[in-house]
Amino acid sequence: MTAIASAIASAVGGRRAALWAAVVFVLLCAASLSVGVAGLSDGAPLELLLVSRLPRTAAAILVGAGLAIAGLVMQILARNRFVDASIAGTEQSAALGILLATAVWPAASVAGKMAVAAAAALAGTALFLVLVRRLPPTEPFLMPLFGIVYGGVIAAGVTFVAWQMDLLQLLETWLNGDLSGILRGRYELLWGVGVMVVLVWWLADALTIASLGRDTGTGLGLDYERMMQVGLVIVSVLAALTVVVVGMVPFVGLIVPNIVSRLRGDNLRGALPWVAAGGAGLTLACDVLGRLLRYPYEVPLGTVLGVVGAAAFLWLVRGGRARG
Amino acid sequence: MIAIDGVSLTLQGTPILHDVSATLPKGELIALIGPNGAGKSSLLSLVARLIPLQSGRITVDGLPVDRTPGRRLARTLTIMRQDTGLAARLTVRELVGFGRFPHSRGRLTDEDRRHIAAALAEFDLTELAGRTLDALSGGQRQRAFVAMAFCQGTDYLLLDEPLNNLDMMYGRQMMRILRHLVDRQGRTVVIVLHDINYAAAYADRIVAMKDGRIIASGPPDAVLTTDGLEAMYGYRMPVHRIGDRLFIPHHD
Ligand SMILES: Nc1ncnc2c1ncn2[C@@H]1O[C@H](COP(=O)(O)OP(=O)(O)O)[C@@H](O)[C@H]1O
Ligand SMILES: [Mg+2]
């Protein structure tokens, strides 16, 4: 296991790795643009590309990059490698926010719902972070376990409210992420992910220092509390953007930062592009897979990532044990 | 000068420090000694504003630690605590480089790189510079963290038990580097030490704590006496003088 990991690590050293990653990424984009029920050869191919395939591909890239970055920041906030926005209740809280906004304020614009979702995500994540402070730091796996229960409770609350409000038919669109409904005009909010990624890039050194802990960070002149607040906003906005546009997508934020940490280290200035690209690549690959598995029908992105992600999580946990 | 004036601390209802006052002059190597739980780490944490000040005043070079912006203070004072947090896969060079953060906010200049190279060389870490922290022994990691503090280039260094995990050779080397910092560069080092023989050999001044109070302060000759050590540690040990050195066999 370790031998394989180090072989991979040496193979992905520096520029060569970037080149290979770029090739894989371009191939994934090409696959995403060409796979679908409507063939590119019949009808109006350009129209199909512009209205459906390109937006869908862009959405997969933005969602994936955003969730991977959100996971990375979440791990620094929680001081635990085994959480992300789908495990800490952030995405579930965002879904609750959208549901409440839809019920109370049906005429709200997408941006308005997004604001309510972000506020709900912030509250839900802040509560999670307060609650996990009581967990012993010597037992890192208690936090994801607690998070799964916490997220489950919020998701149950979402279902209950939806049932009360007679909105059950909409529920699936938020609780299980799906890119099949993405068309031009329905995903543009996701460009907000780009803004967040740039913000995180700008904060990369401060975030790395924050990940060294409160004492070391403070000693180096970092305003640790402020950093935590900014991180909380970043995670909440990224999760809310994703849930509003495509619905909940699990595991990307958990798997990608852990793999990148093993291969590229923890200096975020160097690791961030890999985290963003890794999240985008994983999401694109899972979306294409979902389109091919039961062709011509589709398996939703959330379902594919649920299976792929759970397997990868188990592998990570085993690897984490083996490396101590 | 570090001026501590009437500082008390209570954590979770337990009184930890009782009306502590002390003046630590600039340009000295000051050893903080005392039994476990005496409050040494708490006092250092207060000076380094890692714990908010509850009562009293602390200034470093005239800067009040509770009201000076964190980044400004980080160019005057550094604290070393061994705490890697999450970032176990930083290389030694990257970690030491973060010591320059208060100066360059992450954009390393040529001067920063000179500081980093000097810190790596000083602490015998050049060979290990490319290794990640999770691939180091406890002692090597300890040296990397002290090197980061050194690289920060501050006039005041607070070090909480930096000799932990170090073998005799590196323990001695660490103390000699610190002595050198004080003698040649006029820096001030406050260091928590458990081995009173190290304190006797290297410190200009010893501050002895017990039960949240400072019970003695002064040059080693004055503080390290059989009676004084009994008051601190609860048993009598002989204090020998060999040449101009104090030697205290405390283990039999
Ligand atoms: N967060 C805390 N809450 C309550 N008591 C604490 C806390 N931190 C330290 N203490 C207590 O304060 C006393 C002094 O601790 P410390 O400053 O770490 O001592 P030293 O470094 O001299 O061994 C100890 O009795 C310790 O148990
Ligand atoms: Mg201590």
Side-chain angles (χ1 to χ4, degrees), chain B residues 142-165:
Chain B
Q142 188 82 7
R143 266 154 55 213
F145 272 84
V146 180
M148 172 169 82
F150 173 81
C151 196
Q152 205 172 326
T154 58
D155 278 345
Y156 294 84
L157 286 92
L158 312 181
L159 307 171
D160 198 350
E161 302 187 23
L163 302 190
N164 274 1
N165 297 314

Side-chain angles (χ1 to χ4, degrees), chain A residues 110-123:
Chain A
V110 181
K113 283 181 192 164
M114 148 70 206
V116 177
L122 201 122

